[in-house]
Amino acid sequence: MARIKPQTLLLQSKKKRGPSRVSVPMMILYGLFIGLVVFSLFATYRHWSRRSVEQMGSGSSNFEILNTSKGAIHVELFKDGAPEIVDKFLDLCQKGHFKGMAFHHMIKHYVIHGGDPQGFGAAEDWISRGKLRGKLVTSPKHEAFMLGTSKSKQDSKKFELFITTAPIPDLNDKLIVFGRVIKGQDVVQEIEEVDTDERYRPKSNILIYDVILKREV
């Protein structure tokens, strides 16, 4: 029996092990799978991009800086909690409504008030009921350094601005809370410590120079 040369065996082996052809249906299946992965990645990217844009426009990422004659007060606005009030406040800020506005009343360990000087009745009522404060249940919105405006119907061109300087349990009875001070609490305390007359009006002007809108990135 004749012996087969090694070279011949090697050639035969290579022919047997040749690459198998991929069927057309399998190629289509691979293409569909790759397309599905690419589409999923694109859809995920669009979802998170849209969500980040929405968060930039939400109340939790809106910040205002009140530049006063005593320093800067940084406030966070509660867009979700009081959307109409926040929109009105921002609209007035853009129109320069608060430039040069004064804080008209300061009650130590209670509240400072700016805006319409005729809207102090609510604060006077709080003072007369001060002895009841310790008997009421508190909530996070009743804490110090909360930003609010009067619940009474206001002119569209006017806006009362209150910043609490102590916890006020009955706060929601008088104010719509639409934000809180996140930086500059010392400035608020300095404002409330100014000398006032018997009606809590400051003896020297405390002004808001301007308001700057910022967004969290």
Side-chain angles (χ1 to χ4, degrees), residues 185-210:
Q185 290 89 341
D186 56 328
V187 176
V188 175
Q189 292 173 331
E190 187 175 352
I191 293 175
E192 75 165 336
E193 290 293 333
V194 301
D195 292 333
T196 61
D197 61 19
E198 66 278 1
R199 295 186 61 83
Y200 308 105
R201 294 174 299 195
K203 294 181 179 180
S204 58
N205 289 332
I206 306 297
L207 304 176
I208 298 175
Y209 292 143
D210 60 11

mmCIF file of all heavy atoms in Angstrom, residues 185-210:
data_model
loop_
_atom_site.group_PDB
_atom_site.id
_atom_site.type_symbol
_atom_site.label_atom_id
_atom_site.label_comp_id
_atom_site.label_asym_id
_atom_site.label_seq_id
_atom_site.Cartn_x
_atom_site.Cartn_y
_atom_site.Cartn_z
ATOM 1 N N GLN A 185 -28.126 82.902 55.341
ATOM 2 C CA GLN A 185 -28.983 82.996 56.527
ATOM 3 C C GLN A 185 -28.458 84.073 57.482
ATOM 4 O O GLN A 185 -29.247 84.742 58.157
ATOM 5 C CB GLN A 185 -29.039 81.650 57.254
ATOM 6 C CG GLN A 185 -29.798 80.559 56.506
ATOM 7 C CD GLN A 185 -28.914 79.760 55.577
ATOM 8 O OE1 GLN A 185 -27.830 80.202 55.205
ATOM 9 N NE2 GLN A 185 -29.370 78.567 55.200
ATOM 10 N N ASP A 186 -27.137 84.254 57.497
ATOM 11 C CA ASP A 186 -26.556 85.287 58.357
ATOM 12 C C ASP A 186 -26.973 86.684 57.899
ATOM 13 O O ASP A 186 -27.126 87.595 58.723
ATOM 14 C CB ASP A 186 -25.028 85.163 58.378
ATOM 15 C CG ASP A 186 -24.417 85.223 56.983
ATOM 16 O OD1 ASP A 186 -25.068 84.774 56.016
ATOM 17 O OD2 ASP A 186 -23.282 85.733 56.860
ATOM 18 N N VAL A 187 -27.178 86.839 56.582
ATOM 19 C CA VAL A 187 -27.629 88.129 56.057
ATOM 20 C C VAL A 187 -29.064 88.403 56.512
ATOM 21 O O VAL A 187 -29.406 89.519 56.919
ATOM 22 C CB VAL A 187 -27.539 88.156 54.513
ATOM 23 C CG1 VAL A 187 -28.098 89.458 53.965
ATOM 24 C CG2 VAL A 187 -26.101 87.960 54.064
ATOM 25 N N VAL A 188 -29.904 87.353 56.455
ATOM 26 C CA VAL A 188 -31.286 87.493 56.923
ATOM 27 C C VAL A 188 -31.304 87.890 58.395
ATOM 28 O O VAL A 188 -32.062 88.784 58.806
ATOM 29 C CB VAL A 188 -32.067 86.179 56.709
ATOM 30 C CG1 VAL A 188 -33.472 86.291 57.301
ATOM 31 C CG2 VAL A 188 -32.142 85.833 55.233
ATOM 32 N N GLN A 189 -30.463 87.248 59.200
ATOM 33 C CA GLN A 189 -30.412 87.562 60.630
ATOM 34 C C GLN A 189 -29.905 88.976 60.870
ATOM 35 O O GLN A 189 -30.362 89.664 61.794
ATOM 36 C CB GLN A 189 -29.524 86.546 61.345
ATOM 37 C CG GLN A 189 -30.131 85.146 61.380
ATOM 38 C CD GLN A 189 -29.184 84.114 61.945
ATOM 39 O OE1 GLN A 189 -27.965 84.226 61.835
ATOM 40 N NE2 GLN A 189 -29.742 83.071 62.560
ATOM 41 N N GLU A 190 -28.977 89.415 60.039
ATOM 42 C CA GLU A 190 -28.474 90.783 60.185
ATOM 43 C C GLU A 190 -29.569 91.798 59.858
ATOM 44 O O GLU A 190 -29.677 92.845 60.513
ATOM 45 C CB GLU A 190 -27.263 91.000 59.272
ATOM 46 C CG GLU A 190 -26.565 92.327 59.476
ATOM 47 C CD GLU A 190 -25.301 92.480 58.658
ATOM 48 O OE1 GLU A 190 -24.870 91.480 58.031
ATOM 49 O OE2 GLU A 190 -24.744 93.598 58.620
ATOM 50 N N ILE A 191 -30.395 91.470 58.857
ATOM 51 C CA ILE A 191 -31.498 92.369 58.503
ATOM 52 C C ILE A 191 -32.507 92.450 59.638
ATOM 53 O O ILE A 191 -33.000 93.528 59.979
ATOM 54 C CB ILE A 191 -32.173 91.904 57.201
ATOM 55 C CG1 ILE A 191 -31.216 92.070 56.013
ATOM 56 C CG2 ILE A 191 -33.470 92.680 56.946
ATOM 57 C CD1 ILE A 191 -31.752 91.521 54.705
ATOM 58 N N GLU A 192 -32.827 91.329 60.254
ATOM 59 C CA GLU A 192 -33.842 91.347 61.312
ATOM 60 C C GLU A 192 -33.348 92.049 62.578
ATOM 61 O O GLU A 192 -34.154 92.430 63.420
ATOM 62 C CB GLU A 192 -34.293 89.927 61.669
ATOM 63 C CG GLU A 192 -33.295 89.137 62.481
ATOM 64 C CD GLU A 192 -33.888 87.886 63.116
ATOM 65 O OE1 GLU A 192 -35.120 87.837 63.318
ATOM 66 O OE2 GLU A 192 -33.105 86.968 63.413
ATOM 67 N N GLU A 193 -32.046 92.240 62.691
ATOM 68 C CA GLU A 193 -31.485 92.854 63.892
ATOM 69 C C GLU A 193 -31.381 94.380 63.794
ATOM 70 O O GLU A 193 -30.950 95.026 64.749
ATOM 71 C CB GLU A 193 -30.091 92.275 64.174
ATOM 72 C CG GLU A 193 -30.095 90.824 64.625
ATOM 73 C CD GLU A 193 -30.742 90.633 65.992
ATOM 74 O OE1 GLU A 193 -30.726 91.597 66.790
ATOM 75 O OE2 GLU A 193 -31.259 89.538 66.258
ATOM 76 N N VAL A 194 -31.761 94.961 62.662
ATOM 77 C CA VAL A 194 -31.648 96.414 62.533
ATOM 78 C C VAL A 194 -32.632 97.096 63.484
ATOM 79 O O VAL A 194 -33.672 96.522 63.855
ATOM 80 C CB VAL A 194 -31.907 96.878 61.081
ATOM 81 C CG1 VAL A 194 -30.917 96.238 60.119
ATOM 82 C CG2 VAL A 194 -33.334 96.577 60.668
ATOM 83 N N ASP A 195 -32.335 98.308 63.855
ATOM 84 C CA ASP A 195 -33.217 99.067 64.759
ATOM 85 C C ASP A 195 -34.525 99.404 64.052
ATOM 86 O O ASP A 195 -34.534 99.819 62.884
ATOM 87 C CB ASP A 195 -32.529 100.346 65.218
ATOM 88 C CG ASP A 195 -31.346 100.061 66.137
ATOM 89 O OD1 ASP A 195 -31.362 99.006 66.799
ATOM 90 O OD2 ASP A 195 -30.418 100.891 66.180
ATOM 91 N N THR A 196 -35.635 99.234 64.767
ATOM 92 C CA THR A 196 -36.958 99.531 64.215
ATOM 93 C C THR A 196 -37.741 100.418 65.177
ATOM 94 O O THR A 196 -37.376 100.558 66.356
ATOM 95 C CB THR A 196 -37.759 98.237 63.981
ATOM 96 O OG1 THR A 196 -37.947 97.563 65.232
ATOM 97 C CG2 THR A 196 -37.031 97.304 63.019
ATOM 98 N N ASP A 197 -38.812 101.004 64.672
ATOM 99 C CA ASP A 197 -39.693 101.781 65.545
ATOM 100 C C ASP A 197 -40.709 100.851 66.197
ATOM 101 O O ASP A 197 -40.616 99.617 66.076
ATOM 102 C CB ASP A 197 -40.378 102.913 64.768
ATOM 103 C CG ASP A 197 -41.242 102.397 63.626
ATOM 104 O OD1 ASP A 197 -41.602 101.187 63.636
ATOM 105 O OD2 ASP A 197 -41.558 103.183 62.720
ATOM 106 N N GLU A 198 -41.700 101.411 66.880
ATOM 107 C CA GLU A 198 -42.671 100.595 67.602
ATOM 108 C C GLU A 198 -43.567 99.774 66.674
ATOM 109 O O GLU A 198 -44.230 98.832 67.115
ATOM 110 C CB GLU A 198 -43.536 101.480 68.507
ATOM 111 C CG GLU A 198 -44.449 102.459 67.784
ATOM 112 C CD GLU A 198 -43.696 103.733 67.357
ATOM 113 O OE1 GLU A 198 -42.474 103.801 67.633
ATOM 114 O OE2 GLU A 198 -44.324 104.627 66.766
ATOM 115 N N ARG A 199 -43.585 100.122 65.390
ATOM 116 C CA ARG A 199 -44.382 99.362 64.409
ATOM 117 C C ARG A 199 -43.500 98.474 63.544
ATOM 118 O O ARG A 199 -43.885 98.058 62.459
ATOM 119 C CB ARG A 199 -45.203 100.314 63.546
ATOM 120 C CG ARG A 199 -46.263 101.073 64.336
ATOM 121 C CD ARG A 199 -47.154 101.910 63.424
ATOM 122 N NE ARG A 199 -47.876 101.076 62.462
ATOM 123 C CZ ARG A 199 -49.009 100.442 62.747
ATOM 124 N NH1 ARG A 199 -49.535 100.529 63.964
ATOM 125 N NH2 ARG A 199 -49.624 99.730 61.817
ATOM 126 N N TYR A 200 -42.306 98.185 64.028
ATOM 127 C CA TYR A 200 -41.372 97.253 63.391
ATOM 128 C C TYR A 200 -40.842 97.747 62.054
ATOM 129 O O TYR A 200 -40.366 96.963 61.239
ATOM 130 C CB TYR A 200 -42.035 95.875 63.201
ATOM 131 C CG TYR A 200 -42.639 95.321 64.454
ATOM 132 C CD1 TYR A 200 -44.025 95.326 64.632
ATOM 133 C CD2 TYR A 200 -41.838 94.803 65.467
ATOM 134 C CE1 TYR A 200 -44.594 94.825 65.792
ATOM 135 C CE2 TYR A 200 -42.403 94.299 66.634
ATOM 136 C CZ TYR A 200 -43.777 94.319 66.794
ATOM 137 O OH TYR A 200 -44.337 93.824 67.950
ATOM 138 N N ARG A 201 -40.908 99.041 61.811
ATOM 139 C CA ARG A 201 -40.356 99.605 60.587
ATOM 140 C C ARG A 201 -38.903 99.993 60.817
ATOM 141 O O ARG A 201 -38.578 100.617 61.837
ATOM 142 C CB ARG A 201 -41.177 100.820 60.148
ATOM 143 C CG ARG A 201 -42.596 100.473 59.722
ATOM 144 C CD ARG A 201 -43.429 101.692 59.423
ATOM 145 N NE ARG A 201 -43.560 102.572 60.602
ATOM 146 C CZ ARG A 201 -44.445 103.550 60.707
ATOM 147 N NH1 ARG A 201 -45.262 103.813 59.700
ATOM 148 N NH2 ARG A 201 -44.500 104.280 61.795
ATOM 149 N N PRO A 202 -38.009 99.656 59.895
ATOM 150 C CA PRO A 202 -36.581 99.945 60.098
ATOM 151 C C PRO A 202 -36.294 101.446 60.086
ATOM 152 O O PRO A 202 -36.913 102.206 59.336
ATOM 153 C CB PRO A 202 -35.920 99.248 58.901
ATOM 154 C CG PRO A 202 -36.977 99.224 57.851
ATOM 155 C CD PRO A 202 -38.275 99.034 58.590
ATOM 156 N N LYS A 203 -35.368 101.839 60.922
ATOM 157 C CA LYS A 203 -34.991 103.247 60.979
ATOM 158 C C LYS A 203 -34.012 103.613 59.868
ATOM 159 O O LYS A 203 -33.796 104.801 59.601
ATOM 160 C CB LYS A 203 -34.377 103.551 62.351
ATOM 161 C CG LYS A 203 -35.382 103.412 63.504
ATOM 162 C CD LYS A 203 -34.729 103.744 64.838
ATOM 163 C CE LYS A 203 -35.736 103.617 65.981
ATOM 164 N NZ LYS A 203 -35.126 103.939 67.301
ATOM 165 N N SER A 204 -33.418 102.629 59.235
ATOM 166 C CA SER A 204 -32.555 102.857 58.071
ATOM 167 C C SER A 204 -33.008 101.938 56.940
ATOM 168 O O SER A 204 -33.511 100.836 57.187
ATOM 169 C CB SER A 204 -31.085 102.575 58.413
ATOM 170 O OG SER A 204 -30.925 101.245 58.870
ATOM 171 N N ASN A 205 -32.855 102.386 55.713
ATOM 172 C CA ASN A 205 -33.340 101.623 54.562
ATOM 173 C C ASN A 205 -32.533 100.345 54.346
ATOM 174 O O ASN A 205 -31.302 100.359 54.340
ATOM 175 C CB ASN A 205 -33.270 102.480 53.295
ATOM 176 C CG ASN A 205 -34.301 103.586 53.296
ATOM 177 O OD1 ASN A 205 -35.362 103.458 53.918
ATOM 178 N ND2 ASN A 205 -34.015 104.674 52.602
ATOM 179 N N ILE A 206 -33.244 99.256 54.168
ATOM 180 C CA ILE A 206 -32.647 97.978 53.779
ATOM 181 C C ILE A 206 -33.241 97.616 52.433
ATOM 182 O O ILE A 206 -34.439 97.338 52.314
ATOM 183 C CB ILE A 206 -32.955 96.865 54.808
ATOM 184 C CG1 ILE A 206 -32.533 97.300 56.217
ATOM 185 C CG2 ILE A 206 -32.251 95.575 54.406
ATOM 186 C CD1 ILE A 206 -31.059 97.546 56.368
ATOM 187 N N LEU A 207 -32.419 97.651 51.395
ATOM 188 C CA LEU A 207 -32.925 97.525 50.026
ATOM 189 C C LEU A 207 -32.489 96.227 49.358
ATOM 190 O O LEU A 207 -31.474 95.625 49.719
ATOM 191 C CB LEU A 207 -32.438 98.705 49.181
ATOM 192 C CG LEU A 207 -32.776 100.116 49.684
ATOM 193 C CD1 LEU A 207 -32.132 101.154 48.778
ATOM 194 C CD2 LEU A 207 -34.286 100.307 49.754
ATOM 195 N N ILE A 208 -33.295 95.814 48.374
ATOM 196 C CA ILE A 208 -32.903 94.756 47.445
ATOM 197 C C ILE A 208 -32.368 95.458 46.198
ATOM 198 O O ILE A 208 -33.117 96.131 45.494
ATOM 199 C CB ILE A 208 -34.099 93.862 47.071
ATOM 200 C CG1 ILE A 208 -34.641 93.150 48.320
ATOM 201 C CG2 ILE A 208 -33.688 92.821 46.015
ATOM 202 C CD1 ILE A 208 -35.890 92.334 48.052
ATOM 203 N N TYR A 209 -31.087 95.310 45.946
ATOM 204 C CA TYR A 209 -30.491 95.984 44.790
ATOM 205 C C TYR A 209 -30.938 95.338 43.475
ATOM 206 O O TYR A 209 -31.316 96.018 42.533
ATOM 207 C CB TYR A 209 -28.968 95.961 44.889
ATOM 208 C CG TYR A 209 -28.419 96.817 46.010
ATOM 209 C CD1 TYR A 209 -27.310 96.414 46.743
ATOM 210 C CD2 TYR A 209 -29.010 98.034 46.347
ATOM 211 C CE1 TYR A 209 -26.796 97.202 47.764
ATOM 212 C CE2 TYR A 209 -28.514 98.824 47.363
ATOM 213 C CZ TYR A 209 -27.404 98.403 48.074
ATOM 214 O OH TYR A 209 -26.908 99.181 49.090
ATOM 215 N N ASP A 210 -30.861 94.029 43.408
ATOM 216 C CA ASP A 210 -31.304 93.303 42.217
ATOM 217 C C ASP A 210 -31.487 91.840 42.559
ATOM 218 O O ASP A 210 -31.152 91.385 43.646
ATOM 219 C CB ASP A 210 -30.345 93.485 41.033
ATOM 220 C CG ASP A 210 -28.931 92.978 41.340
ATOM 221 O OD1 ASP A 210 -28.745 92.313 42.374
ATOM 222 O OD2 ASP A 210 -28.020 93.245 40.540
#
